[in-house]
């Protein structure tokens, strides 16, 4: 597209990954017929159910279903689908050992037996879980929470295109679970041509607020996009986090920020997952994406800048969204401002910095962290939650 063409079409968000937003939603009428019908069915784990929803809404465009053997191998080994499209992490559906799958259509149900959607069975294959752990996660250590999920999955996977109910979710979190089509419409309505996405699975403190504001100085809008699918034990519950995000929004002009929830499982795959997070935000209509230190990492499996380096190594054309790479931020008592080592020359002793462990201990003791570290509104919510 030329510049003059861009002017003619007006504000233009990035194209979805692969060029077109996938829509595999099942309408309510068909779903109710299926729910009581005779189709053989497969139970999904909470993580698989979240993946199914992401597939159906187009969050995982261009994927339209769970991956087959050839795709699994290609994604695992080369980070690309067999047609060459960038895709960093296999999205698979486990088939329990005692289940036999007939050809044709399979109903997919949640942990409570509710109908989630259907899968057109294309193939059943032996999933090379060891290769997936080693090549995608960079480790076969079963104490890594993402690797544990891969190694703990059934040895067989069932592949094929899906359709799924994308029912409104309940509660304050569910109300914010917008689809990519919905966020794109919201951006267009607000006239945002450039939008930066911020992924998080944690409460937002001053440091994250600073990164978002740095980015927001350069683009039209911010999508604060916390992940609310299955995370690991010890992460703050989504309901609490959502209230804390709402409190932080009090420090942004309302017309410049959209808070939405991303229903997807966290994989803790570090660099590969940073690429996935960027592509998903591209599908949600973002043009820019914030990548912090040790993005999507856990423990000390990945180097602090490995995710940023992997994103930087991909061509702009292939990625289709601009990664904004940030280091950790802190308040500096001598700069009298939030800063990073990119902008502040002073030693650590001048910085207000707390480790995650220190913050959790303070909150559990009912103590407010310093205002340079955390907004009081946010800290109070977290204290309340840690006591209940
Ligand atoms: Zn300083």
């Amino acid at each position: 597209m030329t510049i003059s063409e861009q002017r003619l079409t007006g504000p233009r968000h990035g194209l979805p990954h692969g060029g077109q937003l996938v829509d595999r939603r099942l309408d309510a009428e068909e779903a109710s017929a299926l729910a009581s019908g005779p189709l053989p069915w497969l139970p999904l784990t909470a993580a698989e159910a979240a993946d199914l929803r992401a597939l159906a809404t187009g969050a995982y465009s261009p994927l339209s279903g769970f991956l087959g053997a050839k795709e699994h191998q290609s994604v695992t080994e080369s980070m690309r689908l067999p047609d060459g499209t960038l895709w960093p992490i296999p999205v698979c559906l486990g088939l329990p050992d005692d289940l036999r799958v007939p050809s044709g259509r399979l109903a997919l149900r949640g942990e409570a037996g509710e109908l989630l959607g259907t899968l057109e069975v294309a193939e059943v294959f032996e999933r090379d879980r060891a290769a997936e752990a080693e090549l995608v996660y960079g480790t076969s250590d079963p104490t890594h929470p993402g690797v544990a999920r891969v190694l703990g999955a059934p040895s067989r996977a069932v592949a094929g295109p899906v359709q799924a109910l994308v029912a409104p979710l309940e509660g304050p979190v569910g109300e914010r679970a917008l689809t990519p089509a919905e966020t794109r419409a919201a951006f267009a309505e607000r006239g945002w041509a450039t939008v930066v996405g911020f992924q998080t699975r944690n409460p937002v403190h001053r440091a994250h607020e600073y990164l978002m504001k740095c980015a927001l100085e350069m683009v039209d809008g911010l999508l604060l996009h916390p992940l609310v699918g299955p995370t690991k034990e010890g992460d703050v519950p989504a309901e609490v986090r959502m209230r804390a995000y709402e409190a932080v929004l009090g420090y942004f002009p309302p017309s410049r920020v959209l808070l939405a929830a991303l229903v997807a499982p966290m994989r803790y795959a570090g660099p590969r997952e940073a690429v996935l997070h960027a592509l998903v935000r591209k599908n949600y209509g973002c043009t820019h994406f914030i990548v912090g230190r040790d993005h999507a990492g856990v423990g000390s499996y990945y180097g602090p800048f490995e995710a940023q380096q992997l994103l930087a190594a991909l061509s702009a054309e292939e990625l289709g969204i601009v990664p904004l790479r940030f280091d950790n931020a802190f308040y500096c008592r001598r700069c009298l401002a939030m800063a990073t080592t990119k902008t502040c020359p002073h030693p650590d002793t001048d910085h207000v910095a707390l480790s995650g462990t220190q913050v959790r201990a303070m909150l559990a003791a009912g103590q407010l962290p310093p205002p340079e570290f955390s907004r009081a509104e946010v800290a109070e919510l977290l204290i309340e939650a840690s006591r209940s």
Side-chain angles (χ1 to χ4, degrees), residues 330 332-351:
F330 44 77
C332 173
R333 293 190 197 91
R334 283 174 70 191
C335 290
L336 293 176
M338 296 299 297
T340 72
T341 50
K342 288 179 179 173
T343 51
C344 159
H346 305 120
D348 289 354
T349 45
D350 287 322
H351 300 161

Side-chain angles (χ1 to χ4, degrees), residues 147-368:
V147 169
R149 196 183 285 154
V150 171
L151 297 180
S155 62
R156 292 180 307 159
V158 55
V162 295
Q163 276 193 298
L165 266 172
V166 179
L169 299 175
E170 286 170 11
V173 175
E175 281 167 21
R176 294 203 181 261
L178 303 182
T179 65
E182 287 168 337
T183 56
R184 284 172 172 270
F187 300 164
E189 194 181 311
R190 292 165 181 223
W192 295 353
T194 51
V195 185
V196 64
F198 183 74
Q199 142 75 32
T200 179
R201 62 172 197 272
N202 291 313
V204 165
H205 295 294
R206 294 285 308 273
H208 310 109
E209 182 187 324
Y210 172 72
L211 302 188
M212 291 191 279
K213 285 185 166 171
C214 283
L216 201 42
E217 291 289 355
M218 295 179 286
V219 298
D220 298 335
L222 166 73
L223 175 66
L224 173 50
H225 209 199
L227 181 144
V228 299
T231 54
K232 66 181 167 58
E233 203 124 319
D235 285 0
V236 178
E239 296 72 30
V240 178
R241 284 193 287 132
M242 203 53 72
R243 287 167 63 203
Y245 301 134
E246 281 162 4
V248 168
L249 288 193
Y251 293 87
F252 288 83
S255 64
R256 302 256 293 148
V257 185
L258 179 67
L259 170 60
L262 172 66
V263 182
M266 190 64 207
R267 293 176 160 88
Y268 308 93
R272 288 264 198 142
E273 190 164 18
V275 175
L276 178 65
H277 284 168
L279 296 179
V280 167
R281 272 44 181 236
K282 174 183 172 183
N283 287 331
Y284 274 85
C286 295
T287 53
H288 296 70
F289 181 63
I290 294 172
V291 188
R293 206 180 161 100
D294 195 22
H295 187 105
V298 63
S300 53
Y301 291 98
Y302 312 106
F305 300 109
E306 237 182 282
Q308 299 186 354
Q309 284 155 358
L310 179 59
L311 280 159
L314 297 167
S315 75
E317 193 187 13
E318 189 171 40
L319 197 55
I321 182 167
V322 182
L324 299 178
R325 307 192 297 272
F326 285 97
D327 200 347
N328 279 351
F330 44 77
Y331 183 86
C332 173
R333 293 190 197 91
R334 283 174 70 191
C335 290
L336 293 176
M338 296 299 297
T340 72
T341 50
K342 288 179 179 173
T343 51
C344 159
H346 305 120
D348 289 354
T349 45
D350 287 322
H351 300 161
V352 179
L354 297 170
S355 71
T357 314
Q358 282 174 307
V359 179
R360 278 190 293 275
M362 290 183 85
L363 295 172
Q367 251 181 309
L368 286 182

Side-chain angles (χ1 to χ4, degrees), residues 99-122:
L99 271 179
R100 289 182 63 87
V101 168
S103 57
R105 202 145 69 141
L106 201 58
L108 307 175
R109 294 186 184 272
E111 284 171 332
E114 77 281 17
L115 182 84
L116 298 174
T118 63
L119 177 130
E120 204 68 51
V121 179

